[in-house]
Amino acid sequence: MSPNEFQLRAVLHEGEGEDLDANRIIARARAIRHERRVRFASVAAVVAVVTGVGVAGGVALTRDDHHSASNTTAEKRASAGSGSSNYDASSPLTAASASAACPATVPRLLLPGGGSPGQFGADGPLFGDPVSSITVCGYIRDDKPLPQAVVVSGADAAQLAADAEAADQRGGGSCGASAADEIQTFVLLATSTTGAAMNPVVDTVCGTVTNGTALRYDWQPPKNIVDALRGGQVVGSPIHS
Amino acid sequence: VRDEAGFRAFVESNGAALLHAARLLTGDHHRGEDLVQTALTKVYLKWDRIEAPMAYARRALVTAHIDASRRRWRGERPTEVLPEAPGTDPTNELDERDELRRLLRELTPRERAVVVLRYYCDQSEQETAATLGMPVGTVKSTCSRALTRLRVEATSTTGGAA
């Protein structure tokens, strides 16, 4: 057999005539369109979330820069006003119940910059905003706070914060005589002048002082605060170092 | 789709021809149904923007067929016994047609597409070239090669009886 064009056309046309169900095709097309739209919406949602996170991160970085600049200005102002960077140990202190004012355990903060001095903003401010008061808590162990906390407010609080900010940023210095003795850790809970609670600052005695983003070395609260934490007379009386 | 009634009318009037063309392209009843549904789904999704739906449908059909044949695995299937040669009787017209259908299935997907478009869909060489997106010269040479293969294979199968 050697097929001619007529035979070929005849073979090709054999068996034709079966109709198609348009409803089935339309249903399938609608399902495909729906699936495409869902997929597109999912991708759009992911893109929106990623963009939102990026924008929020950018805004946060901008705010950090702003706070850093304003804090530096505040430090300069405080330094110029007092003429000394030392905390006034004769200031009146207020006692508070540690169980009400302090966390039950020391907040665990990762050391910024991988623990290296001056890395990734570790030399930034410990207190992002001007402070109106600072509650100082002492811990014998991470899970054992002293029964009494000390509250410092007003200019004394600002000075205490400035002292902590001015501590060594590079580390490696000697710790010197510790006034804390058995106290292993201090936690400083500051309230800003706008009334907002700030991130806790954790101070391991003769170790690191950090709020999770900034890092200082070899600093501890003044002796009168440490004494007050140990249970000395506090309320309403000036305490001298 | 705004003109869904128009799409339904298109399927009712051309669906049978497209289904048959799809079966000729695939050489398989069920794969042909799948192929035509895939092509017509594409037509439905673009129905409002298509000016020549039949040309678009044919193009979608052959494109989907050639794409699918590229993806399909074409491995050897070893057998212990050689398949029997079909017992064709040159005097039997039915056998000849069966043989021709079998030979059509052995053409390459592109050759089969050219043959189906030229001799089943009655497209000109220019229309076939436009549907397949290839030059007219390539359509001519592909068609010529396909017909030669059909003749040679048919002649060798039947021992040159024709």
Side-chain angles (χ1 to χ4, degrees):
Chain A
M1 162 194 151
S2 177
N4 57 33
E5 190 175 317
F6 174 78
Q7 285 174 312
L8 184 58
R9 286 183 189 278
V11 167
L12 291 174
H13 278 86
E14 270 183 3
E16 67 179 346
E18 190 178 335
D19 287 331
L20 274 175
D21 183 1
N23 289 328
R24 205 168 141 194
I25 293 164
I26 290 172
R28 179 176 162 170
R30 283 178 178 163
I32 289 173
R33 181 188 289 161
H34 176 71
E35 188 184 333
R36 281 184 190 170
R37 284 179 178 167
V38 168
R39 200 180 308 144
F40 178 78
S42 305
V43 171
V46 169
V47 169
V49 167
V50 170
T51 307
V53 168
V55 169
V59 169
L61 283 174
T62 308
R63 286 187 61 190
D64 281 352
D65 290 346
H66 173 72
H67 289 159
S68 176
S70 65
N71 193 59
T72 306
T73 308
E75 281 178 18
K76 284 177 183 170
R77 205 182 304 128
S79 177
S82 66
S84 166
S85 62
N86 293 326
Y87 170 74
D88 182 1
S90 64
S91 300
L93 303 175
T94 305
S97 165
S99 61
C102 301
T105 58
V106 174
R108 291 192 173 277
L109 302 177
L110 291 175
L111 288 180
S116 302
Q119 296 290 309
F120 307 112
D123 53 356
L126 289 168
F127 303 91
D129 290 316
V131 299
S132 64
S133 70
I134 297 176
T135 301
V136 183
C137 307
Y139 292 78
I140 296 171
R141 286 199 318 259
D142 280 1
D143 58 349
K144 191 171 182 185
L146 293 170
Q148 185 167 265
V150 171
V151 181
V152 187
S153 55
D156 293 329
Q159 189 57 58
L160 183 63
D163 277 357
E165 298 279 15
D168 189 3
Q169 293 185 354
R170 301 294 166 191
S174 59
C175 178
S178 169
D181 295 335
E182 78 281 6
I183 301 177
Q184 297 296 310
T185 309
F186 296 98
V187 174
L188 280 64
L189 304 168
T191 305
S192 74
T193 50
T194 60
M198 297 161 73
N199 288 338
V201 173
V202 177
D203 174 12
T204 59
V205 177
C206 288
T208 54
V209 187
T210 183
N211 62 355
T213 56
L215 190 60
R216 300 290 186 277
Y217 296 89
D218 303 341
W219 179 85
Q220 59 180 313
K223 185 172 180 301
N224 65 324
I225 292 181
V226 176
D227 290 341
L229 283 171
R230 287 199 187 110
Q233 190 180 1
V234 173
V235 181
S237 66
I239 295 176
H240 299 274
S241 57
Chain B
V1 172
R2 277 171 282 181
D3 185 19
E4 198 164 291
F7 178 77
R8 284 180 193 279
F10 171 76
V11 173
E12 283 168 14
S13 57
N14 299 294
L18 287 169
L19 174 60
H20 192 66
R23 284 175 176 161
L24 289 172
L25 286 169
T26 58
D28 183 272
H29 193 85
H30 298 292
R31 287 218 311 269
E33 283 185 11
D34 289 343
L35 180 64
V36 77
Q37 285 207 14
T38 301
L40 284 175
T41 299
K42 290 179 181 174
V43 172
Y44 177 85
L45 292 172
K46 295 205 171 176
W47 182 252
D48 292 332
R49 286 168 281 167
I50 295 173
E51 288 182 2
M54 193 57 182
Y56 187 90
R58 281 179 180 149
R59 182 161 192 156
L61 205 65
V62 293
T63 305
H65 163 61
I66 291 173
D67 286 349
S69 61
R70 281 186 189 135
R71 285 193 296 270
R72 203 174 304 133
W73 178 72
R74 294 175 172 276
E76 287 183 70
R77 291 181 185 169
T79 55
E80 289 185 6
V81 183
L82 286 172
E84 278 186 27
T88 52
D89 180 355
T91 60
N92 189 331
E93 193 181 345
L94 197 61
D95 284 347
E96 286 180 357
R97 290 183 174 183
D98 284 344
E99 176 64 10
L100 192 51
R101 270 192 290 272
R102 186 186 69 77
L103 293 174
L104 275 170
R105 284 196 295 270
E106 290 183 357
L107 295 176
T108 67
R110 194 175 291 272
E111 287 172 344
R112 211 178 316 152
V114 169
V115 169
V116 169
L117 289 172
R118 288 281 288 118
Y119 298 107
Y120 175 70
C121 300
D122 292 325
Q123 285 194 330
S124 67
E125 288 171 339
Q126 285 76 14
E127 288 170 332
T128 304
T131 302
L132 288 169
M134 60 169 63
V136 177
T138 307
V139 169
K140 285 181 182 175
S141 60
T142 306
C143 189
S144 171
R145 193 166 53 245
L147 293 178
T148 303
R149 276 187 66 183
L150 287 176
R151 289 193 183 106
V152 170
E153 293 286 333
T155 304
S156 64
T157 306
T158 57

